[in-house]
Structures are given as C-alpha cells and as structure tokens.
Amino acid sequence: MKILTVEDEFNLLDSIQEYLMKENYECDGASSFREGVERISNNHYDCILLDITLPDGNGLKLLDQIAQRSESPSVIIISAKNSLDDKIAGLDLGADDYLTKPFHLSELNSRIKAVARRKGHKNHKHLVVGNVSFDLINNQASIDEEPINLTKKEFDILFYLADNRDRVLSKSTLVKHIWGDAIYQEESFNFLFSHIKNIKNKLRYRNALLSIRTVYGLGYQLRCDFREGV
Amino acid sequence: MRLLSITNRYYLGLLIVLLVVWSALLFWVLRYEVYENIDEVLVYRKNLLIDQIKKKGELPVMDSYHDFTVKEINVVPSDFKDTFQDTLVHKWRKSYDEYRRITSYFELNKKFYQVSYTLPHMEQDEMIDTMAYTLPVFLVMLLIGYSVMVTQLNKKVWRPFYSILDKFNAFSLEAAKGIDFDHASVKEFRELQQGVKDLTDRSINSYLQQKQFTENASHEIQTPLAIIQAKLELLLQDDVTKKQSEIIGDVFSAVDRLSKINETLLLLTKIENNQFPEKAEIKIKPIVDDILPYFDEQATKYNIQVDVQIENEGSVETNVTLFSILIANLLKNAFVHNLQDGRIQITAKDKIMEISNTGPELNVQPEKLFERFYTQAAGKGGAGLGLALVKGICTINHWGISYTQTDGLHKIAIDYSVAK
C-alpha cells in the first residue's frame, strides 16, 4: 500500500513516515500544497494523509483534485483545526476520516487500516493474527475458528492491539481509544488493567498464538507467536 | 416607574396645587373688587342724594320704589363717617339677596339726618357657584390638553433615548455586532449614543481579541503537542530500560492531560463562537443508552445503581455532537463523584432533564461549580472543565441549568423547554 503524507511540520511528517514504514507501507511525503499537488498528479496512492492547514494553500482544495482522479485514494485529514465545520467540509469533499492533532500514531495506523478495509483494498474484512481471527462485522474474535467469549470492550482492546501488533501502545492511547475523549479519566487506567488481565487469561486458556506483553509503566504490546512458514 | 411617568406626576401635582391657590386668590380678588365697586357706587349715590336734598332744602318723598331712607335723628352722631354693612333682603319665595348698605349722616337746617342707601351686589354664593362651574371645566380641559401635549411631546423628545435603550438591551457581546444608531438631533442624545457606541465597540474588540487569543494559542499548542506525542510513540518502540519506560510513561500521560485541556478549551471557544450550527430533533434516551456502557466498570466496581426514567421526554432540537458531549460529561461527573454502593438517577420529563447522584457533601456555591478550572475533588484527575463545557452548551442553547444538593444527593437539572 502506498501512502502520501502531506504535512508542513517536518518533525511530524518525519515521525509519521517512520511509524508507517515499519508497517511496510510505501511512504511519500510532501511538506507544502505545491509539493502535494505535484506528488498526486505524478503518482498513484492508496491513501493520503492530509493536513489541511498548509502555508501555501488550503488542503481542502487538494481534496478536489484528488476526487477528480479516476481511481481516487482514501483520504484521512489530519488537522490542528477540530472545528466541526472543517470536519464536515472535509468529509463532504470526499475525505474518509478525520484526525485532530495531537493524535497517537497507533490511532492513525488503525484509521488507515480501517479506511482500507472499508474500501476493500485488500481482503481486510477479517483480520487474522496468528491463529486468532477477528470478524469485524459481528465484533467476534475466534481462536482456530472457535469463538472467544469477549466483552465489547475486550474485543475493542484486543483488536486495537492486533491492528498495531508488535508496537508498544501506551496506556493512554488505549484508554483514549476505548473510552473516548469525553469519558476517559484517571480510573480508566485501572479498568484498562483489569480488561487486559481478563483478555490475557482468555487467550492463555485457549492456547492462542498471541501474547500481550506489559511494558512496565508504559503500556502493552501484542506479539504474534506464530510465524508463517516456520 | 418610567421616566415619563415621574415627570408627568410632578407636573400634574404642581398644576393642581397652583390651580387651588389660584382659585382661592381669584375668589378673594373678585370679592374685593365687587365690594370696592359697590361701595364706590353707594358713596356716589349717597352724595348725589345729599346734594339734592341740600339744594332743594327738603326731604325727598320716600316710598318702596326707592332704595334709600332718610330720617331725622335726635342724637348728634359722633362723626360723620360713612359705614358699610352687608344685609340680606327678603325677596320672594324665601330667597334672600345680598345687599350692601351705606349709612351716613348729614346736617340740614340745624337738624341731623341719617341717610342709608341700599344696593344689591353680586353675591359670594354666585361667585363661588360661577367658579365652581367654570373652573373644573377649565381645569379638566387644561389637564387633558396638558397630558396629551406632554405625552406627545415627551414621546417625540425622548424617542431617541428609548431607541438607544432598546438597542443597548438587544446588544449581545457574543454576537460581536456593534450598535448602529439613527442620527439624533438632540446634542445630549448624540453624546449618549457616542458613549454607548464607544463602550460596546471596545467591549466587542476585547472580547474578540480574547477569544481569538484562546483559539490561536490552542491551535499553536496543538502542533508541538502532536510532535511530542509522535516522538514519544516512536521512542517507546525501541528497547528501553524499565526506568526509562517509566519516565516515558509519565511524560506520555502528562502530554495527554495537556492535550486534553487544550482540546477542551478549544471546544469551549468553538461552542461560544457558535460553530456548531447544525441542529436536529433528537431524543435523549438513545444517547444516554449509548453512553452508559462506557461507565460499566465504574458501576460494577463501586456497585452503583443506575436508574434511567425517561418517558414523554419530547425531543430536543439541538446539535447532536454537543448534546452527546453534554450527556457524557454529566454522566462522568455523576460517576466520578459518587460513593461505594451509590446511586445515579437520570430522569427526563416535560422538557426537564435531571441527573442526580449520591456523593460526598460539597461546600460550594452552585454557580462556582460550573466555572472553568473549578475542581474540589483532588486526585480525580479532572481539570475542572467538564461542567464548564456543560454550562457552555446550555448557554448557547438558551437552556436553564441548576445544581442542588439535598440529603447527600447532588442534582443537576437542565431545562430545555426554552423555545429558541
């Protein structure tokens, strides 16, 4: 999958590219409106991450150009503006999702995958990690085709970890992802802890080839203990 | 009391006092004039009579056709001064008329005579009657005329003032629209207009600047925050020692808190800027039902009973996003500040929604609770912006919000019946 990131803040552009390259995406970067236009007209991208506040033009105008292309890529707007006006304008103009700065790179990664799944770019309606498969339509996870009994939140946590497998996800990333901005609070971290504990137990009990590693003081990492072809 | 009523009241009072004094004065002056007049006539007639008597040297014939009497007296009068006297003369049908009589003396052929002359004059009763009939008519006409004139005149004169007042009342800082006045011809009103205009323009200006500042500052903070967060995330992918990971974790949550505060402040500014114009008819129950599961852990851990009684709630016309934020913050507030084995009750009926929860006693003025950065419960991790957000959402929707505390039950009520 080929991804273009249009972001005028070099530091941020760099970090996004570094994170995404580890996911084995092919990554291009553009740090201005002009550069973005150039890249888009000369290359084909599956997904474009677009900052709409660029020094030399409004990123929303880039959306117009993108929409004119025959095979239009998915677009995720990343912006410091979180006004609903922009959000709606962006989504109306054909953007697929919207992330407000500051965001977690793992969240961005998840959104990219979700958009790709929605567009059916690859066979991604199901996610399979090791011997665990996730049915995204019924929110059901199974180990070796046998459903695991997970609560809605447990499923969301496990899926988010699986989507960002091998990455260390901070506790706050997970908490924000599960409870949302308006609801999460200090205690949510304790609740996350108990949910993870439950998930770990359920996975271990069913011999899943997945394990959740606790990174002390920081967060969690999902590892796949199953190597294909090994 | 209205300005015009006050002036009218004083003017009318003064007018009545003046009219009463003037009536009394008129009565006395008239009476004086009448007496002086009749006395003059009496003196003249008497002198004429005496002159004629003296010329002829004999007394005139007296009969009832004449108004005078002349009679000889035996006693010499002490002086020859005229004396005046009021007298009633019986006429017919028991009616008496007021007469004035002059009594005088003269000497003829060594004999003394007393002469009296009597004439009718305008009576006091008649005078009072005349005044009693004419004055009230005059008074009423004067009052009506005065009222009509003053009212019309005042209306005309004070029209610019009331126009200024109306516009000033309609002025809203949040709308950030200056006041346009019609040109006033009166200098004082022009000055007042100018003063009001200067004041409101200055207020708008500083309001806009302050708002702009909050918005700009929040925006500018977001990008560095995004960079810090991204770099930290990259950092924690590397192998770090236990101590390092602990530090990164702490930095992570601090950045999170900072970005949350920033985001909320920005959201507050947006709400105040009315940047959520889309409205829809929404129901409360589905929104509450959607959000409640997010608090399952709390409810289980602290054994909190949640009781939702929403019936005939009617629908609310508002922005869905903001309303969800409102509900989420109210529920969060109710869960976070609750007790072990506590209770939460959510009711909506007749366009009033109430969320009440058990919780430790609060010593706080209700208004303070909704202020930004107000927080009493230390260690709960809140920045004290949740209820400020709730209040902001209520304000732009013109809803009433109140907080009450009874028997350890904290209740926040939102009255969304106000028609927009």
Side-chain angles (χ1 to χ4, degrees):
Chain A
M1 197 151 102
K2 201 169 174 185
I3 297 176
L4 171 70
T5 309
V6 186
E7 163 64 61
D8 62 313
E9 195 68 40
F10 183 73
N11 262 320
L12 194 57
L13 177 63
D14 202 39
S15 307
I16 292 171
Q17 303 232 79
E18 195 183 329
Y19 195 93
L20 294 182
M21 266 181 310
K22 282 188 187 156
E23 291 285 317
N24 293 323
Y25 294 129
E26 209 181 313
C27 292
D28 274 351
S31 57
S32 68
F33 182 82
R34 216 164 40 88
E35 210 179 324
V37 172
E38 243 172 63
R39 293 269 185 192
I40 290 167
S41 45
N42 297 331
N43 299 281
H44 169 75
Y45 294 102
D46 299 297
C47 183
I48 295 174
L49 309 177
L50 183 63
D51 182 2
I52 51 174
T53 43
L54 296 166
D56 57 340
N58 188 337
L60 286 176
K61 283 196 183 133
L62 262 179
L63 269 180
D64 278 340
Q65 301 210 357
I66 296 163
Q68 281 162 19
R69 295 179 60 90
S70 56
E71 204 184 321
S72 58
S74 322
V75 178
I76 296 174
I77 291 174
I78 44 175
S79 171
K81 279 194 178 177
N82 73 348
S83 88
L84 271 205
D85 291 344
D86 275 348
K87 212 167 201 162
I88 283 162
L91 296 178
D92 277 352
L93 286 169
D96 299 274
D97 211 342
Y98 192 108
L99 260 181
T100 306
K101 286 180 193 171
F103 49 82
H104 292 118
L105 293 175
S106 50
E107 183 68 34
L108 177 66
N109 186 28
S110 262
R111 301 281 184 103
I112 292 170
K113 286 182 177 170
V115 164
R117 256 177 235 122
R118 273 212 300 276
K119 288 232 167 177
H121 274 308
K122 285 175 189 170
N123 189 15
H124 266 168
K125 298 289 177 199
H126 279 69
L127 175 70
V128 182
V129 181
N131 61 346
V132 180
S133 65
F134 296 86
D135 173 357
L136 298 176
I137 295 154
N138 303 312
N139 288 336
Q140 178 66 59
S142 314
I143 299 174
D144 296 325
E145 313 292 316
E146 279 288 311
I148 328 171
N149 191 17
L150 294 175
T151 65
K152 170 86 173 64
K153 278 180 192 142
E154 286 167 358
F155 177 83
D156 286 344
I157 293 168
L158 184 59
F159 178 69
Y160 190 64
L161 282 165
D163 227 5
N164 289 283
R165 63 180 168 277
D166 298 329
R167 299 304 178 80
V168 177
L169 298 186
S170 74
K171 285 182 286 188
S172 52
T173 309
L174 279 161
V175 161
K176 263 181 114 166
H177 179 80
I178 302 300
W179 282 278
D181 272 336
I183 290 159
Y184 88 92
Q185 10 110 13
E186 285 300 286
E187 244 193 330
S188 306
F189 292 91
N190 302 334
F191 299 143
L192 175 70
F193 178 77
S194 26
H195 283 313
I196 297 265
K197 210 171 81 183
N198 289 340
I199 297 169
K200 277 180 170 177
N201 285 338
K202 286 175 184 174
L203 291 178
R204 199 177 303 130
Y205 179 71
R206 298 281 301 276
N207 296 317
L209 296 170
L210 283 184
S211 59
I212 297 172
R213 184 174 77 99
T214 304
V215 184
Y216 184 76
L218 248 184
Y220 303 94
Q221 181 185 32
L222 183 132
R223 280 170 166 174
C224 178
D225 306 323
F226 173 82
R227 293 279 176 269
E228 265 173 282
V230 176
Chain B
M1 199 193 297
R2 286 177 60 117
L3 181 69
L4 295 187
S5 319
I6 294 182
T7 46
N8 268 352
R9 195 166 291 192
Y10 278 98
Y11 276 136
L12 283 178
L14 181 69
L15 206 66
I16 287 165
V17 170
L18 282 181
L19 279 170
V20 168
V21 171
W22 180 73
S23 311
L25 215 63
L26 183 71
F27 175 74
W28 290 113
V29 169
L30 269 180
R31 212 171 78 123
Y32 176 76
E33 287 292 329
V34 166
Y35 274 83
E36 202 181 55
N37 191 274
I38 192 79
D39 288 356
E40 248 173 51
V41 173
L42 282 172
V43 168
Y44 172 73
R45 292 272 180 92
K46 182 257 305 177
N47 287 343
L48 205 67
L49 184 67
I50 292 174
D51 282 353
Q52 275 183 353
I53 291 172
K54 282 185 175 169
K55 208 185 270 171
K56 285 185 180 170
E58 57 175 299
L59 294 184
V61 182
M62 270 168 291
D63 52 40
S64 54
Y65 293 112
H66 289 92
D67 298 327
F68 57 85
T69 53
V70 181
K71 60 181 179 195
E72 193 186 337
I73 48 169
N74 299 322
V75 187
V76 182
S78 52
D79 57 35
F80 286 78
K81 259 190 130 176
D82 300 341
T83 51
F84 296 94
Q85 197 182 354
D86 286 325
T87 177
L88 292 176
V89 173
H90 178 66
K91 289 174 91 182
W92 62 302
R93 281 192 192 168
K94 284 186 183 170
S95 144
Y96 290 88
D97 271 353
E98 274 181 31
Y99 278 70
R100 186 78 165 163
R101 176 185 294 154
I102 187 169
T103 309
S104 195
Y105 306 92
F106 66 92
E107 189 194 348
L108 183 73
N109 305 330
K110 308 282 181 210
K111 282 178 183 168
F112 293 103
Y113 297 91
Q114 184 196 51
V115 59
S116 45
Y117 208 107
T118 312
L119 281 175
H121 68 82
M122 197 185 171
E123 297 164 48
Q124 276 189 41
D125 279 354
E126 281 166 3
M127 260 186 323
I128 290 170
D129 279 357
T130 311
M131 278 166 64
Y133 292 133
T134 55
L135 262 183
V137 173
F138 169 69
L139 218 131
V140 165
M141 271 162 48
L142 195 69
L143 284 184
I144 292 173
Y146 168 80
S147 304
V148 169
M149 194 198 69
V150 160
T151 312
Q152 291 306 317
L153 190 71
N154 273 343
K155 261 192 195 156
K156 197 173 145 61
V157 169
W158 289 94
R159 188 179 296 141
F161 176 77
Y162 284 108
S163 146
I164 293 171
L165 206 62
D166 283 347
K167 288 189 172 173
F168 199 46
N169 275 336
F171 174 74
S172 128
L173 194 56
E174 285 75 20
K177 203 171 158 292
I179 306 179
D180 286 325
F181 289 115
D182 305 325
H183 178 79
S185 50
V186 181
K187 181 166 167 282
E188 283 81 356
F189 289 140
R190 269 207 307 279
E191 283 175 8
L192 182 62
Q193 286 182 343
Q194 196 53 48
V196 170
K197 198 167 168 45
D198 286 349
L199 185 70
T200 48
D201 284 353
R202 269 205 305 275
S203 309
I204 290 172
N205 227 342
S206 43
Y207 173 73
L208 288 180
Q209 267 174 11
Q210 181 214 328
K211 229 166 53 171
Q212 194 66 44
F213 173 79
T214 318
E215 202 175 346
N216 287 347
S218 301
H219 270 147
E220 290 309 314
I221 290 169
Q222 272 177 318
T223 308
L225 274 177
I227 295 169
I228 298 173
Q229 217 167 57
K231 298 286 175 195
L232 277 175
E233 241 181 314
L234 289 177
L235 185 62
L236 55 102
Q237 304 312 321
D238 297 337
D239 286 331
V240 287
T241 64
K242 201 173 165 186
K243 189 163 169 44
Q244 283 168 335
S245 85
E246 216 175 318
I247 292 171
I248 297 171
D250 287 347
V251 176
F252 224 107
S253 41
V255 170
D256 251 352
R257 256 169 71 183
L258 186 58
S259 73
K260 179 154 190 211
I261 291 170
N262 195 50
E263 216 170 283
T264 314
L265 279 180
L266 199 58
L267 183 61
L268 264 170
T269 316
K270 305 260 177 217
I271 290 170
E272 282 163 9
N273 281 0
N274 229 334
Q275 283 175 359
F276 297 89
E278 311 80 21
K279 290 195 173 174
E281 290 281 329
I282 55 167
K283 294 266 180 197
I284 296 176
K285 186 129 192 351
I287 294 181
V288 171
D289 288 345
D290 263 4
I291 297 175
L292 268 178
Y294 287 101
F295 297 100
D296 279 350
E297 296 92 344
Q298 241 109 359
T300 314
K301 182 175 173 192
Y302 297 107
N303 190 28
I304 295 170
Q305 294 293 318
V306 182
D307 179 17
V308 183
Q309 286 179 7
I310 297 178
E311 51 194 36
N312 304 327
E313 48 170 314
S315 57
V316 198
E317 197 196 345
T318 188
N319 183 282
V320 185
T321 315
L322 290 188
F323 199 74
S324 302
I325 293 174
L326 176 114
I327 300 282
N329 277 289
L330 284 174
L331 286 177
K332 182 173 159 183
N333 185 67
F335 274 103
V336 170
H337 302 290
N338 218 314
L339 302 168
Q340 181 71 42
D341 305 319
R343 213 153 28 92
I344 291 177
Q345 194 172 31
I346 304 152
T347 63
K349 207 182 165 191
D350 303 326
K351 303 243 169 196
I352 291 175
M353 178 173 72
E354 290 177 351
I355 295 189
S356 34
N357 63 281
T358 47
E361 195 156 322
L362 266 181
N363 285 319
V364 59
Q365 291 162 296
E367 321 84 60
K368 266 209 119 74
L369 204 68
F370 299 105
E371 278 176 14
R372 289 179 187 194
F373 298 113
Y374 180 83
T375 168
Q376 231 188 19
K380 296 278 186 184
L385 285 171
L387 288 183
L389 213 51
V390 168
K391 167 97 184 190
I393 294 169
C394 286
T395 305
I396 58 150
N397 281 296
H398 307 281
W399 296 339
I401 181 164
S402 63
Y403 163 79
T404 44
Q405 181 182 206
T406 35
D407 304 329
L409 205 64
H410 306 268
K411 184 168 79 183
I412 290 177
I414 291 175
D415 177 359
Y416 55 94
S417 64
V418 191
K420 175 77 211 300

